[in-house]
């Protein structure tokens, strides 16, 4: 949920099972790029700050990391999402 990013404004948000987020990765990407989250509830639209550091953990496809493949291939994630992270371990 991107609202977690807004709640962690100026702090750190740790996400486990990042590879299983599915479509929510796209919303997280927008929050990481724009450093804000738009929330629409009951006809009210609010823009919340999301200046948050994100630490994410993901599992490789098949449960084992294949050194012959790239990080994107091992995690089945697109380059735009991966480009928002500074370190892969």
């Amino acid at each position: 949920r991107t609202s977690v990013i807004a709640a962690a404004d100026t702090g750190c948000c740790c996400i486990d099972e990042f590879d299983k987020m599915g479509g929510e990765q796209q919303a997280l990407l927008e929050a990481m790029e724009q450093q804000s989250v738009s929330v629409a509830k009951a006809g009210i639209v609010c823009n919340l700050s999301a200046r948050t550091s994100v630490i994410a953990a993901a599992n490789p496809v098949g449960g084992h990391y294949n050194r012959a493949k790239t990080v994107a291939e091992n995690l089945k994630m697109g380059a735009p999402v991966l480009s928002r992270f500074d370190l892969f371990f």
Side-chain angles (χ1 to χ4, degrees):
R1 296 183 175 201
T2 55
S3 59
V4 173
I5 300 293
D9 187 33
T10 68
C12 182
C13 178
C14 299
I15 303 171
D16 192 14
E17 305 281 335
F18 190 73
D19 54 310
K20 294 173 181 66
M21 286 182 64
E24 291 180 3
Q25 280 184 0
Q26 200 61 29
L28 181 65
L29 173 64
E30 290 178 30
M32 291 171 74
E33 286 177 341
Q34 299 171 4
Q35 294 187 342
S36 66
V37 176
S38 294
V39 179
K41 295 262 182 182
I44 299 171
V45 178
C46 184
N47 195 16
L48 305 171
S49 293
R51 300 161 297 183
T52 306
S53 298
V54 177
I55 298 173
N59 299 313
V61 175
H64 297 286
Y65 193 85
N66 183 346
R67 291 182 187 222
K69 294 182 180 180
T70 65
V71 172
E73 291 171 332
N74 271 295
L75 300 178
K76 291 267 183 172
M77 288 185 203
V81 173
L82 291 176
S83 72
R84 303 310 300 171
F85 291 96
D86 296 320
L87 177 67
F88 299 97
F89 176 72

